[in-house]
Amino acid sequence: KYKTTNLKRYNEALKSRGALMIWLDRNLQWSGLASGKRGRPSLFSDAAIQFCLTIKGLFGLALRQAMGMVESLLKLAGLSWTVPDYSTVCRRQKTLQVRIPYRPAAHGLHLLVDSTGLKMMGEGEWKRKKHGAEYRRQWRKLHIGIDAQTMEIRAIEVTPNSVGDAPVLPSLLGQIDPNEALLSVSGDGAYDTKACHEAIALRQAQAIIPVRKNARKPWKENRPGASARNEILRATQRLGRAIWKRWSGYHRRSLVEAKMRCVKLLG
């Protein structure tokens, strides 16, 4: 069992979780540029609107309170930028194209994939339990792939709730730059399909996917990825699932589950 040996460092690590640091680049293009279309250009760039919405989602604020917080942050940073009105942010968020930069993996990418359900319409749990549901709830499924080193989201896909995990994996891998080295792809047993192993093999990556519990026979090695999957099956049958998971590094897939919680906290 794990035992804390340095209580001072452990205490400092717990305190640092509540630390707040917001870095603002003075070279950020805050004002809008001419788009080449008819009409007056926008006063604020998409980056400015995205920053305001990020603060709103991060701290769970209403639009008016979020604009007040952005104004105070700019004042603390010594920047004389004009803060957009809350109605402007509300109107611009409908057509905003969100751009999330990422850092390419220096020594190869270890991709962790998972999915979760998101309720997009429906009453709260208390109201549904107390008074019953008045209309049917609607769900969407969020599929993400993150970098195991930096915890950055590298691939994302939103599908209806009826779509499974395995059919979306090739689309997630397609969002990774072909020129970037993809070392491994880790997922749960839902990705143990021929299409998933073939997509991973075509990217010349290692599949860290446990075989299904009812798997007994190896696949015919007439498709890419079948031999790698058969090696996992033989190792699991010889060593056991628990030893194979520790040996292959499968347990770091829990990082993507922690990332899912961060995404849900943003609302």
Side-chain angles (χ1 to χ4, degrees), residues 174-195:
Q175 299 180 27
I176 306 300
D177 190 353
N179 298 324
E180 185 175 0
L182 182 61
L183 299 182
S184 67
V185 178
S186 301
D188 55 21
Y191 298 95
D192 183 33
T193 63
K194 294 180 180 179

Side-chain angles (χ1 to χ4, degrees), residues 6-44:
N6 193 326
L7 187 60
K8 183 178 180 181
R9 290 182 58 186
Y10 177 70
N11 187 47
E12 292 297 329
L14 292 179
K15 290 169 58 179
S16 64
R17 295 181 183 180
L20 175 64
M21 182 185 69
I22 298 179
W23 179 75
L24 294 171
D25 187 3
R26 295 180 179 272
N27 298 324
L28 175 67
Q29 183 61 42
W30 188 266
S31 301
L33 299 176
S35 60
K37 300 180 181 179
R38 297 181 59 182
R40 188 182 65 176
S42 301
L43 296 178
F44 303 96

Side-chain angles (χ1 to χ4, degrees), residues 2-258:
Y2 175 79
K3 184 178 181 181
T4 303
T5 57
N6 193 326
L7 187 60
K8 183 178 180 181
R9 290 182 58 186
Y10 177 70
N11 187 47
E12 292 297 329
L14 292 179
K15 290 169 58 179
S16 64
R17 295 181 183 180
L20 175 64
M21 182 185 69
I22 298 179
W23 179 75
L24 294 171
D25 187 3
R26 295 180 179 272
N27 298 324
L28 175 67
Q29 183 61 42
W30 188 266
S31 301
L33 299 176
S35 60
K37 300 180 181 179
R38 297 181 59 182
R40 188 182 65 176
S42 301
L43 296 178
F44 303 96
S45 64
D46 288 346
I49 302 299
Q50 182 175 333
F51 174 75
C52 296
L53 292 174
T54 302
I55 296 299
K56 172 184 178 298
L58 185 62
F59 294 96
L61 302 174
L63 277 174
R64 290 178 175 84
Q65 287 78 18
M67 296 307 100
M69 187 171 186
V70 170
E71 184 177 355
S72 63
L73 290 175
L74 297 180
K75 186 180 297 183
L76 291 174
L79 300 173
S80 58
W81 297 342
T82 305
V83 179
D85 188 74
Y86 69 91
S87 59
T88 301
V89 177
C90 181
R91 184 178 65 256
R92 291 278 301 275
Q93 70 178 348
K94 297 180 181 180
T95 58
L96 179 65
Q97 298 294 328
V98 179
R99 298 179 180 178
I100 303 178
Y102 66 90
R103 293 170 291 175
H107 305 289
L109 174 63
H110 294 276
L111 192 68
L112 312 176
V113 294
D114 199 7
S115 65
T116 186
L118 299 175
K119 184 175 69 173
M120 58 171 295
M121 290 186 63
E123 302 94 340
E125 299 301 324
W126 180 88
K127 192 265 180 187
R128 188 175 63 88
K129 184 177 180 180
K130 192 74 173 178
H131 304 287
E134 296 181 0
Y135 53 91
R136 185 178 179 181
R137 294 180 294 175
Q138 297 187 18
W139 294 79
R140 292 294 182 267
K141 207 167 187 179
L142 176 67
H143 310 260
I144 65 172
I146 71 169
D147 186 348
Q149 300 295 329
T150 62
M151 294 286 290
E152 291 184 344
I153 297 178
R154 298 296 307 274
I156 186 169
E157 193 79 24
V158 179
T159 64
N161 193 37
S162 58
V163 178
D165 297 352
V168 187
L169 181 60
S171 177
L172 294 177
L173 297 181
Q175 299 180 27
I176 306 300
D177 190 353
N179 298 324
E180 185 175 0
L182 182 61
L183 299 182
S184 67
V185 178
S186 301
D188 55 21
Y191 298 95
D192 183 33
T193 63
K194 294 180 180 179
C196 290
H197 281 278
E198 183 175 355
I200 296 172
L202 292 177
R203 289 298 304 264
Q204 299 180 356
Q206 178 188 4
I208 306 179
I209 300 173
V211 296
R212 299 176 185 267
K213 293 185 177 180
N214 58 353
R216 296 292 181 268
K217 297 181 180 180
W219 291 346
K220 294 182 179 180
E221 298 186 4
N222 55 357
R223 299 180 60 177
S227 59
R229 191 264 184 184
N230 293 337
E231 289 294 333
I232 298 175
L233 177 62
R234 284 190 285 266
T236 302
Q237 292 175 345
R238 183 176 181 86
L239 304 175
R241 297 177 67 89
I243 295 179
W244 176 84
K245 288 181 178 180
R246 291 198 299 268
W247 168 72
S248 62
Y250 170 79
H251 290 298
R252 64 181 171 184
R253 198 189 63 85
S254 61
L255 296 174
V256 70
E257 297 178 356

